[in-house]
Amino acid sequence: MDWRPVHTARPGRRSPLAAFDPLVRGQDGVLLAEAGRIAWVGWAAVVNWRRRHGDFPAPEGGTDVQPKFDRRAVVAWLRSLGFVTAL
């Protein structure tokens, strides 16, 4: 997915993500790399965030090596830090 339209959406405008179907909790997981793409950083930055921030969302599946996180929880966490503003 091309995240540029999402990241460049102006405040007060409808997000391009509004056209997508609602997500079902537990069925829309993201790996570390996808969480990084949402915030425009590498997966290593997400690994560091997990280590340094106790409030980073807990994995909901996957493995120890490739944990899977709930997309909504990750986006909400990123928004709370100001990484994602247009979602």
Side-chain angles (χ1 to χ4, degrees), residues 16-78:
L17 295 179
F20 288 105
D21 291 331
L23 305 176
V24 177
R25 187 168 181 80
Q27 291 183 358
D28 189 46
V30 293
L31 299 174
L32 295 171
E34 179 66 15
R37 281 192 286 274
I38 293 170
W40 286 44
V41 298
W43 64 268
V46 182
V47 170
N48 286 330
W49 292 338
R50 285 187 66 207
R51 290 182 186 148
R52 296 178 183 170
H53 298 276
D55 61 341
F56 191 86
E60 292 196 342
T63 64
D64 289 338
V65 176
Q66 289 188 325
K68 191 177 268 190
F69 303 90
D70 180 59
R71 182 182 306 270
R72 286 183 179 180
V74 170
V75 170
W77 187 83
L78 290 169

